[in-house]
Amino acid sequence: MRLYPPIPFQRKSAIKPDFLPSGHKVDADSTIIIFLYAMGRMRAIWGEDAAEFKPERWVSETGGLRHESSYKFFSFNAGPRACLGKHISMIQLKTVVLEILQDYDIEVLKEQKIEPYPGVILRMKNGLNVTVKNRC
Protein backbone atom coordinates (compact mmCIF):
# COMPACT_ATOMS: atom_id res chain seq x y z
CA MET A 1 0.00 0.00 0.00
CA ARG A 2 3.01 2.28 0.36
CA LEU A 3 4.20 1.87 -3.23
CA TYR A 4 0.77 1.32 -4.80
CA PRO A 5 -1.82 3.05 -2.60
CA PRO A 6 -5.42 2.26 -3.60
CA ILE A 7 -6.19 5.97 -3.72
CA PRO A 8 -3.13 7.64 -5.35
CA PHE A 9 -3.92 11.17 -4.15
CA GLN A 10 -6.04 13.00 -1.61
CA ARG A 11 -7.51 16.47 -1.75
CA LYS A 12 -7.80 18.69 1.31
CA SER A 13 -9.37 22.14 1.66
CA ALA A 14 -8.53 24.76 4.27
CA ILE A 15 -11.49 26.53 5.85
CA LYS A 16 -9.23 29.07 7.58
CA PRO A 17 -5.62 30.21 7.16
CA ASP A 18 -3.09 27.71 8.48
CA PHE A 19 0.52 26.51 8.14
CA LEU A 20 1.77 23.15 6.92
CA PRO A 21 4.36 21.28 9.03
CA SER A 22 6.92 22.47 6.44
CA GLY A 23 6.16 26.09 7.38
CA HIS A 24 4.31 26.91 4.14
CA LYS A 25 1.31 29.19 4.59
CA VAL A 26 -2.08 27.93 3.45
CA ASP A 27 -4.77 30.51 2.78
CA ALA A 28 -8.44 29.98 3.57
CA ASP A 29 -10.33 28.21 0.77
CA SER A 30 -7.08 26.79 -0.62
CA THR A 31 -6.99 23.26 -1.96
CA ILE A 32 -4.04 21.00 -1.24
CA ILE A 33 -3.43 17.80 -3.16
CA ILE A 34 -1.35 15.11 -1.46
CA PHE A 35 0.13 12.62 -3.93
CA LEU A 36 0.36 9.40 -1.93
CA TYR A 37 1.81 7.55 -4.92
CA ALA A 38 4.80 9.93 -4.99
CA MET A 39 5.01 10.18 -1.20
CA GLY A 40 5.49 6.40 -0.93
CA ARG A 41 8.60 6.67 -3.15
CA MET A 42 10.23 9.72 -1.56
CA ARG A 43 13.77 9.07 -0.30
CA ALA A 44 13.40 11.97 2.15
CA ILE A 45 10.61 10.02 3.88
CA TRP A 46 11.55 6.34 3.38
CA GLY A 47 15.32 6.40 2.83
CA GLU A 48 17.54 5.53 -0.14
CA ASP A 49 15.70 2.24 -0.75
CA ALA A 50 12.29 3.98 -0.99
CA ALA A 51 11.47 2.51 -4.42
CA GLU A 52 12.11 -1.07 -3.27
CA PHE A 53 9.43 -3.47 -2.02
CA LYS A 54 10.87 -4.67 1.28
CA PRO A 55 8.38 -6.34 3.63
CA GLU A 56 11.08 -6.43 6.32
CA ARG A 57 10.73 -2.63 6.48
CA TRP A 58 7.65 -3.23 8.64
CA VAL A 59 9.27 -5.70 11.07
CA SER A 60 11.06 -4.46 14.20
CA GLU A 61 14.38 -5.77 15.52
CA THR A 62 12.43 -7.97 17.97
CA GLY A 63 10.27 -9.47 15.20
CA GLY A 64 7.14 -7.45 15.96
CA LEU A 65 5.19 -5.19 13.65
CA ARG A 66 6.81 -1.76 13.19
CA HIS A 67 4.24 1.03 13.21
CA GLU A 68 4.86 4.21 11.23
CA SER A 69 3.21 7.54 11.83
CA SER A 70 -0.08 8.02 9.99
CA TYR A 71 1.40 11.25 8.66
CA LYS A 72 4.23 9.26 7.06
CA PHE A 73 2.16 6.27 5.87
CA PHE A 74 -0.86 8.23 4.71
CA SER A 75 -2.95 5.55 2.96
CA PHE A 76 -5.63 5.73 5.67
CA ASN A 77 -5.35 9.48 6.23
CA ALA A 78 -4.25 10.90 9.59
CA GLY A 79 -5.32 12.91 12.59
CA PRO A 80 -8.99 13.66 13.23
CA ARG A 81 -9.85 12.63 9.65
CA ALA A 82 -8.30 9.15 9.88
CA CYS A 83 -10.22 6.35 8.17
CA LEU A 84 -12.72 4.76 10.52
CA GLY A 85 -12.27 1.41 8.78
CA LYS A 86 -8.47 1.30 9.06
CA HIS A 87 -8.25 -1.23 11.88
CA ILE A 88 -10.86 -3.62 10.48
CA SER A 89 -9.24 -3.34 7.03
CA MET A 90 -5.86 -4.30 8.45
CA ILE A 91 -7.37 -7.26 10.33
CA GLN A 92 -9.11 -8.45 7.16
CA LEU A 93 -5.92 -8.01 5.13
CA LYS A 94 -3.87 -10.05 7.61
CA THR A 95 -6.54 -12.77 7.79
CA VAL A 96 -6.80 -13.14 4.02
CA VAL A 97 -3.02 -13.19 3.54
CA LEU A 98 -2.63 -15.77 6.31
CA GLU A 99 -5.33 -18.04 4.90
CA ILE A 100 -3.87 -17.91 1.39
CA LEU A 101 -0.23 -18.38 2.41
CA GLN A 102 -1.06 -21.34 4.67
CA ASP A 103 -2.35 -23.39 1.74
CA TYR A 104 -0.61 -22.03 -1.34
CA ASP A 105 2.82 -21.14 -2.68
CA ILE A 106 2.56 -18.04 -4.85
CA GLU A 107 5.26 -16.75 -7.19
CA VAL A 108 5.07 -13.58 -9.24
CA LEU A 109 6.00 -14.28 -12.87
CA LYS A 110 9.22 -12.53 -13.81
CA GLU A 111 8.42 -11.78 -17.46
CA GLN A 112 5.81 -9.08 -16.99
CA LYS A 113 5.66 -5.33 -17.05
CA ILE A 114 4.23 -4.01 -13.81
CA GLU A 115 2.77 -0.55 -14.20
CA PRO A 116 -0.10 1.34 -12.62
CA TYR A 117 -3.30 2.22 -14.42
CA PRO A 118 -3.99 5.76 -13.21
CA GLY A 119 -7.43 6.70 -12.05
CA VAL A 120 -9.37 7.62 -8.95
CA ILE A 121 -8.57 4.13 -7.67
CA LEU A 122 -5.09 2.91 -8.53
CA ARG A 123 -4.90 -0.56 -10.04
CA MET A 124 -2.43 -2.51 -12.13
CA LYS A 125 -2.66 -1.93 -15.86
CA ASN A 126 -2.19 -5.60 -16.85
CA GLY A 127 -2.98 -7.29 -13.54
CA LEU A 128 -0.44 -9.33 -11.60
CA ASN A 129 0.43 -12.66 -13.18
CA VAL A 130 1.40 -15.35 -10.67
CA THR A 131 1.74 -19.12 -10.45
CA VAL A 132 -0.12 -20.81 -7.62
CA LYS A 133 0.71 -24.23 -6.20
CA ASN A 134 -1.50 -25.95 -3.65
CA ARG A 135 0.53 -27.15 -0.66
CA CYS A 136 -1.95 -29.91 0.22
Side-chain angles (χ1 to χ4, degrees), residues 75-98:
S75 289
F76 291 102
N77 219 328
R81 304 282 188 269
C83 176
L84 295 174
K86 174 183 178 179
H87 296 293
I88 192 69
S89 295
M90 294 306 284
I91 290 169
Q92 287 176 333
L93 176 104
K94 292 173 189 175
T95 302
V96 169
V97 168
L98 176 69

mmCIF file of all heavy atoms in Angstrom, residues 75-98:
data_model
loop_
_atom_site.group_PDB
_atom_site.id
_atom_site.type_symbol
_atom_site.label_atom_id
_atom_site.label_comp_id
_atom_site.label_asym_id
_atom_site.label_seq_id
_atom_site.Cartn_x
_atom_site.Cartn_y
_atom_site.Cartn_z
ATOM 1 N N SER A 75 -1.909 6.240 3.725
ATOM 2 C CA SER A 75 -2.953 5.551 2.965
ATOM 3 C C SER A 75 -4.335 5.599 3.625
ATOM 4 O O SER A 75 -5.348 5.529 2.957
ATOM 5 C CB SER A 75 -2.567 4.096 2.715
ATOM 6 O OG SER A 75 -1.530 4.038 1.780
ATOM 7 N N PHE A 76 -4.350 5.680 4.951
ATOM 8 C CA PHE A 76 -5.627 5.727 5.673
ATOM 9 C C PHE A 76 -5.912 7.103 6.247
ATOM 10 O O PHE A 76 -6.725 7.256 7.150
ATOM 11 C CB PHE A 76 -5.638 4.691 6.798
ATOM 12 C CG PHE A 76 -5.675 3.286 6.317
ATOM 13 C CD1 PHE A 76 -4.530 2.507 6.309
ATOM 14 C CD2 PHE A 76 -6.851 2.727 5.842
ATOM 15 C CE1 PHE A 76 -4.557 1.198 5.864
ATOM 16 C CE2 PHE A 76 -6.896 1.422 5.395
ATOM 17 C CZ PHE A 76 -5.747 0.655 5.403
ATOM 18 N N ASN A 77 -5.210 8.125 5.745
ATOM 19 C CA ASN A 77 -5.345 9.485 6.234
ATOM 20 C C ASN A 77 -4.720 9.587 7.622
ATOM 21 O O ASN A 77 -4.099 8.650 8.084
ATOM 22 C CB ASN A 77 -6.800 9.932 6.219
ATOM 23 C CG ASN A 77 -6.961 11.358 5.789
ATOM 24 O OD1 ASN A 77 -6.113 12.200 6.033
ATOM 25 N ND2 ASN A 77 -8.065 11.636 5.134
ATOM 26 N N ALA A 78 -4.880 10.711 8.291
ATOM 27 C CA ALA A 78 -4.246 10.900 9.594
ATOM 28 C C ALA A 78 -5.020 11.913 10.418
ATOM 29 O O ALA A 78 -5.846 12.662 9.892
ATOM 30 C CB ALA A 78 -2.804 11.368 9.405
ATOM 31 N N GLY A 79 -4.715 11.940 11.703
ATOM 32 C CA GLY A 79 -5.323 12.914 12.592
ATOM 33 C C GLY A 79 -6.808 12.705 12.763
ATOM 34 O O GLY A 79 -7.297 11.578 12.698
ATOM 35 N N PRO A 80 -7.560 13.793 12.966
ATOM 36 C CA PRO A 80 -8.992 13.658 13.226
ATOM 37 C C PRO A 80 -9.791 13.156 12.017
ATOM 38 O O PRO A 80 -10.941 12.774 12.158
ATOM 39 C CB PRO A 80 -9.432 15.078 13.618
ATOM 40 C CG PRO A 80 -8.377 15.974 13.082
ATOM 41 C CD PRO A 80 -7.106 15.186 13.042
ATOM 42 N N ARG A 81 -9.166 13.117 10.851
ATOM 43 C CA ARG A 81 -9.851 12.633 9.648
ATOM 44 C C ARG A 81 -9.399 11.228 9.256
ATOM 45 O O ARG A 81 -9.583 10.793 8.136
ATOM 46 C CB ARG A 81 -9.601 13.584 8.475
ATOM 47 C CG ARG A 81 -9.995 15.011 8.718
ATOM 48 C CD ARG A 81 -11.513 15.202 8.590
ATOM 49 N NE ARG A 81 -11.890 16.591 8.637
ATOM 50 C CZ ARG A 81 -12.201 17.252 9.740
ATOM 51 N NH1 ARG A 81 -12.120 16.662 10.905
ATOM 52 N NH2 ARG A 81 -12.564 18.510 9.698
ATOM 53 N N ALA A 82 -8.790 10.503 10.175
ATOM 54 C CA ALA A 82 -8.305 9.152 9.880
ATOM 55 C C ALA A 82 -9.477 8.237 9.509
ATOM 56 O O ALA A 82 -10.597 8.400 10.000
ATOM 57 C CB ALA A 82 -7.548 8.585 11.073
ATOM 58 N N CYS A 83 -9.215 7.296 8.647
ATOM 59 C CA CYS A 83 -10.225 6.354 8.167
ATOM 60 C C CYS A 83 -10.781 5.526 9.325
ATOM 61 O O CYS A 83 -10.032 4.886 10.066
ATOM 62 C CB CYS A 83 -9.586 5.431 7.126
ATOM 63 S SG CYS A 83 -10.689 4.144 6.520
ATOM 64 N N LEU A 84 -12.084 5.526 9.459
ATOM 65 C CA LEU A 84 -12.725 4.763 10.524
ATOM 66 C C LEU A 84 -12.560 3.259 10.324
ATOM 67 O O LEU A 84 -12.581 2.497 11.272
ATOM 68 C CB LEU A 84 -14.215 5.113 10.610
ATOM 69 C CG LEU A 84 -14.530 6.551 11.006
ATOM 70 C CD1 LEU A 84 -16.027 6.803 10.913
ATOM 71 C CD2 LEU A 84 -14.012 6.865 12.389
ATOM 72 N N GLY A 85 -12.387 2.826 9.074
ATOM 73 C CA GLY A 85 -12.270 1.406 8.780
ATOM 74 C C GLY A 85 -10.846 0.876 8.758
ATOM 75 O O GLY A 85 -10.626 -0.284 8.420
ATOM 76 N N LYS A 86 -9.874 1.704 9.145
ATOM 77 C CA LYS A 86 -8.469 1.296 9.057
ATOM 78 C C LYS A 86 -8.187 0.008 9.817
ATOM 79 O O LYS A 86 -7.597 -0.922 9.281
ATOM 80 C CB LYS A 86 -7.559 2.406 9.577
ATOM 81 C CG LYS A 86 -6.093 2.015 9.649
ATOM 82 C CD LYS A 86 -5.244 3.108 10.239
ATOM 83 C CE LYS A 86 -3.800 2.666 10.350
ATOM 84 N NZ LYS A 86 -2.945 3.705 10.891
ATOM 85 N N HIS A 87 -8.599 -0.067 11.053
ATOM 86 C CA HIS A 87 -8.254 -1.229 11.878
ATOM 87 C C HIS A 87 -8.917 -2.503 11.371
ATOM 88 O O HIS A 87 -8.273 -3.554 11.282
ATOM 89 C CB HIS A 87 -8.590 -0.966 13.340
ATOM 90 C CG HIS A 87 -7.777 0.147 13.923
ATOM 91 N ND1 HIS A 87 -6.420 0.052 14.106
ATOM 92 C CD2 HIS A 87 -8.114 1.394 14.313
ATOM 93 C CE1 HIS A 87 -5.955 1.176 14.595
ATOM 94 N NE2 HIS A 87 -6.958 2.020 14.730
ATOM 95 N N ILE A 88 -10.179 -2.419 10.996
ATOM 96 C CA ILE A 88 -10.856 -3.620 10.484
ATOM 97 C C ILE A 88 -10.270 -4.015 9.129
ATOM 98 O O ILE A 88 -10.119 -5.200 8.828
ATOM 99 C CB ILE A 88 -12.391 -3.442 10.426
ATOM 100 C CG1 ILE A 88 -13.091 -4.790 10.167
ATOM 101 C CG2 ILE A 88 -12.815 -2.475 9.353
ATOM 102 C CD1 ILE A 88 -13.015 -5.744 11.299
ATOM 103 N N SER A 89 -9.875 -3.038 8.319
ATOM 104 C CA SER A 89 -9.242 -3.338 7.031
ATOM 105 C C SER A 89 -7.927 -4.081 7.226
ATOM 106 O O SER A 89 -7.633 -5.040 6.518
ATOM 107 C CB SER A 89 -8.959 -2.050 6.246
ATOM 108 O OG SER A 89 -10.151 -1.412 5.907
ATOM 109 N N MET A 90 -7.136 -3.644 8.189
ATOM 110 C CA MET A 90 -5.856 -4.301 8.446
ATOM 111 C C MET A 90 -6.064 -5.714 8.986
ATOM 112 O O MET A 90 -5.327 -6.639 8.633
ATOM 113 C CB MET A 90 -5.007 -3.468 9.409
ATOM 114 C CG MET A 90 -4.577 -2.132 8.827
ATOM 115 S SD MET A 90 -3.739 -2.262 7.232
ATOM 116 C CE MET A 90 -2.145 -2.827 7.740
ATOM 117 N N ILE A 91 -7.063 -5.909 9.827
ATOM 118 C CA ILE A 91 -7.369 -7.258 10.333
ATOM 119 C C ILE A 91 -7.789 -8.160 9.187
ATOM 120 O O ILE A 91 -7.331 -9.302 9.067
ATOM 121 C CB ILE A 91 -8.452 -7.201 11.430
ATOM 122 C CG1 ILE A 91 -7.871 -6.549 12.689
ATOM 123 C CG2 ILE A 91 -8.996 -8.597 11.738
ATOM 124 C CD1 ILE A 91 -8.910 -6.200 13.732
ATOM 125 N N GLN A 92 -8.666 -7.658 8.313
ATOM 126 C CA GLN A 92 -9.109 -8.450 7.164
ATOM 127 C C GLN A 92 -7.940 -8.774 6.236
ATOM 128 O O GLN A 92 -7.811 -9.898 5.761
ATOM 129 C CB GLN A 92 -10.191 -7.697 6.390
ATOM 130 C CG GLN A 92 -11.507 -7.657 7.105
ATOM 131 C CD GLN A 92 -12.535 -6.811 6.365
ATOM 132 O OE1 GLN A 92 -12.200 -5.890 5.639
ATOM 133 N NE2 GLN A 92 -13.796 -7.135 6.574
ATOM 134 N N LEU A 93 -7.080 -7.801 5.989
ATOM 135 C CA LEU A 93 -5.919 -8.005 5.126
ATOM 136 C C LEU A 93 -5.022 -9.112 5.689
ATOM 137 O O LEU A 93 -4.629 -10.035 4.975
ATOM 138 C CB LEU A 93 -5.131 -6.705 5.002
ATOM 139 C CG LEU A 93 -3.855 -6.809 4.199
ATOM 140 C CD1 LEU A 93 -4.066 -6.196 2.827
ATOM 141 C CD2 LEU A 93 -2.729 -6.116 4.904
ATOM 142 N N LYS A 94 -4.720 -9.043 6.971
ATOM 143 C CA LYS A 94 -3.870 -10.055 7.606
ATOM 144 C C LYS A 94 -4.521 -11.433 7.566
ATOM 145 O O LYS A 94 -3.847 -12.434 7.314
ATOM 146 C CB LYS A 94 -3.575 -9.657 9.052
ATOM 147 C CG LYS A 94 -2.696 -8.437 9.176
ATOM 148 C CD LYS A 94 -2.603 -8.011 10.640
ATOM 149 C CE LYS A 94 -1.922 -6.672 10.783
ATOM 150 N NZ LYS A 94 -1.928 -6.191 12.171
ATOM 151 N N THR A 95 -5.825 -11.485 7.800
ATOM 152 C CA THR A 95 -6.537 -12.767 7.791
ATOM 153 C C THR A 95 -6.516 -13.398 6.405
ATOM 154 O O THR A 95 -6.229 -14.594 6.265
ATOM 155 C CB THR A 95 -7.993 -12.565 8.263
ATOM 156 O OG1 THR A 95 -7.976 -11.992 9.571
ATOM 157 C CG2 THR A 95 -8.750 -13.881 8.296
ATOM 158 N N VAL A 96 -6.787 -12.622 5.395
ATOM 159 C CA VAL A 96 -6.805 -13.145 4.023
ATOM 160 C C VAL A 96 -5.416 -13.620 3.612
ATOM 161 O O VAL A 96 -5.248 -14.713 3.062
ATOM 162 C CB VAL A 96 -7.360 -12.090 3.034
ATOM 163 C CG1 VAL A 96 -7.133 -12.502 1.595
ATOM 164 C CG2 VAL A 96 -8.840 -11.859 3.296
ATOM 165 N N VAL A 97 -4.390 -12.807 3.891
ATOM 166 C CA VAL A 97 -3.018 -13.191 3.540
ATOM 167 C C VAL A 97 -2.636 -14.480 4.257
ATOM 168 O O VAL A 97 -2.085 -15.403 3.658
ATOM 169 C CB VAL A 97 -2.027 -12.046 3.855
ATOM 170 C CG1 VAL A 97 -0.585 -12.526 3.777
ATOM 171 C CG2 VAL A 97 -2.251 -10.886 2.900
ATOM 172 N N LEU A 98 -2.949 -14.573 5.538
ATOM 173 C CA LEU A 98 -2.626 -15.771 6.310
ATOM 174 C C LEU A 98 -3.306 -17.004 5.733
ATOM 175 O O LEU A 98 -2.674 -18.048 5.533
ATOM 176 C CB LEU A 98 -3.030 -15.587 7.773
ATOM 177 C CG LEU A 98 -2.826 -16.811 8.665
ATOM 178 C CD1 LEU A 98 -1.347 -17.073 8.854
ATOM 179 C CD2 LEU A 98 -3.517 -16.628 9.988
#
